[in-house]
Amino acid sequence: MKLSVIGCGAMGGSMVEGWLKTDIIKPADITAADPYEGSLSKFSGTGITTTTDNNLAAKDKDIVCVVVKPWLVEQVLGGIKNSLSEKQTLIVVAAGVSLEKVKSVVGNEISVVLCIPNTAIAVKASMTFIVPDNNITPEQLAVVESLFNSTGSCMKVAENQLSAATVLASCGIAYAMRYVRAASEGGVQLGFKADAAKDIVLQTVKGAVELLQASGNHPEAEIDKVTTPGGLTIRGLNAMEQNGFSNAVIRGLLA
C-alpha cells in the first residue's frame, strides 16, 4: 500500500507522525507533500518521501489524503485531479466540505472518503470519523478503517452527522484540554507546583477514561461510587454545577 498526505500542517503532519508509529505501513511507502519546505523538515530522516509537488504525491498512490483548510480544498483538488485515477481512494480531511463538493471537482468516478480525525492521531489516540461515498468497495473501506484504527479509534457515520462528530472529537480535544488547564490551575491554588498539578490531573483524566472504557458504565454510575453522603466529592460537584459546569459544556458544543 502506498499513501500520500497532501498538506502537512498541524493535522496532516500529525497523521504522518501517527502512521510512522504503526506497523500498518512502511515509511518508504508514505509521501508527504506541502508547498512549504519547513512543514516537511520534521520528517527528515524518517524514511518517507517529501515533496512540494502535489501532483507527484498524488500519482500512483493507493490512497491520497488531502488535508488542507476548507477554503483551499477546491483549489488543491483541482490541481491534482488529472493525477488521480479510479483505482485510488481519495481521503479529504476538511471540516464542512461535502462529498458533493469534492465530486464536483474530481468527478464521480473517484472513490472519496470524508474524514475528521483529531490531533491525538500523532500519538495513536485519535477519535476519527469517516464518511465513504457510494463508490467505495468493501476492500477499500476496510483499508481506510484499518489505517485510522491503527492510530486510535475509527467510526463510520452518516454525512449529516459529521459536523456533530467534529464538535465532539476534533473540537472536543481542545475542550478536554481546557478542563485539564482549569483543573491544573486549581491544583496550584491548592498548593501544588504547576507541573505537579498538571501531572496529577493528566493521570486522573486518563484513569477516568480507562475506567469508563473498561466498565462500559455510564459516567454517573462511576460518580455515584465516589460520592459519599456529605463528602468532599459531592460538595465539589454541586459547586461546579451551581457555576454552570454541565450547561457551559453543552452550550460550548452547540455553539
Side-chain angles (χ1 to χ4, degrees), residues 8 46 76 79 96 108 160 193 196 221:
C8 290
T46 63
V76 172
N108 290 323
N160 62 7
K193 290 186 176 180

Side-chain angles (χ1 to χ4, degrees), residues 8-251:
C8 290
M11 184 59 74
S14 294
M15 290 166 64
V16 175
E17 287 180 47
W19 284 322
L20 283 171
K21 294 181 174 75
T22 73
D23 297 324
I24 199 165
I25 186 169
K26 298 175 182 177
D29 291 330
I30 300 174
T31 297
D34 199 278
Y36 304 105
E37 300 231 358
S39 297
L40 301 171
S41 60
K42 60 186 172 184
F43 299 119
S44 176
T46 63
I48 74 171
T49 299
T50 60
T51 180
T52 57
D53 185 338
N54 288 348
N55 281 288
L56 182 64
K59 285 180 181 176
D60 304 319
K61 304 299 187 298
D62 299 297
I63 296 177
V64 178
C65 303
V66 172
V67 193
V68 296
K69 299 298 183 184
W71 56 87
L72 292 174
V73 168
E74 192 168 356
Q75 174 186 331
V76 172
L77 290 177
I80 65 170
K81 66 179 181 179
N82 292 330
S83 298
L84 299 174
S85 76
E86 297 175 20
K87 296 180 180 180
Q88 295 173 307
T89 303
L90 173 65
I91 296 176
V92 176
V93 181
V97 175
S98 67
L99 284 172
E100 182 180 11
K101 172 59 72 176
V102 174
K103 292 285 195 176
S104 72
V105 179
V106 300
N108 290 323
E109 300 79 14
I110 303 297
S111 298
V112 178
V113 178
L114 301 182
C115 174
I116 298 291
N118 63 38
T119 51
I121 198 169
V123 292
K124 302 196 301 179
S126 176
M127 180 66 246
T128 300
F129 299 94
I130 59 171
V131 179
D133 74 359
N134 293 329
N135 288 352
I136 294 290
T137 66
E139 293 76 19
Q140 286 176 307
L141 181 58
V143 170
V144 171
E145 289 178 329
S146 65
L147 273 171
F148 290 106
N149 278 322
S150 75
T151 50
S153 182
C154 175
M155 181 183 293
K156 186 175 76 167
V157 299
E159 186 169 2
N160 62 7
Q161 293 178 300
L162 195 57
S163 292
T166 300
V167 169
L168 283 173
S170 187
C171 303
I173 198 168
Y175 306 153
M177 289 179 180
R178 181 57 60 89
Y179 167 79
V180 170
R181 190 194 78 174
S184 299
E185 290 175 350
V188 173
Q189 189 167 348
L190 289 169
F192 288 98
K193 290 186 176 180
D195 285 344
K198 183 188 70 174
D199 290 344
I200 292 167
V201 173
L202 288 175
Q203 183 59 40
T204 303
V205 170
K206 181 182 178 182
V209 169
E210 293 187 1
L211 187 60
L212 289 172
Q213 288 179 329
S215 68
N217 287 340
H218 189 283
E220 283 302 319
E222 295 297 333
I223 289 171
D224 286 345
K225 294 178 182 179
V226 295
T227 48
T228 53
L232 296 176
T233 304
I234 192 62
R235 293 181 190 180
L237 287 170
N238 285 342
M240 289 180 188
E241 291 304 330
Q242 287 167 6
N243 284 279
F245 180 78
S246 293
N247 187 55
V249 172
I250 294 167
R251 287 176 65 87

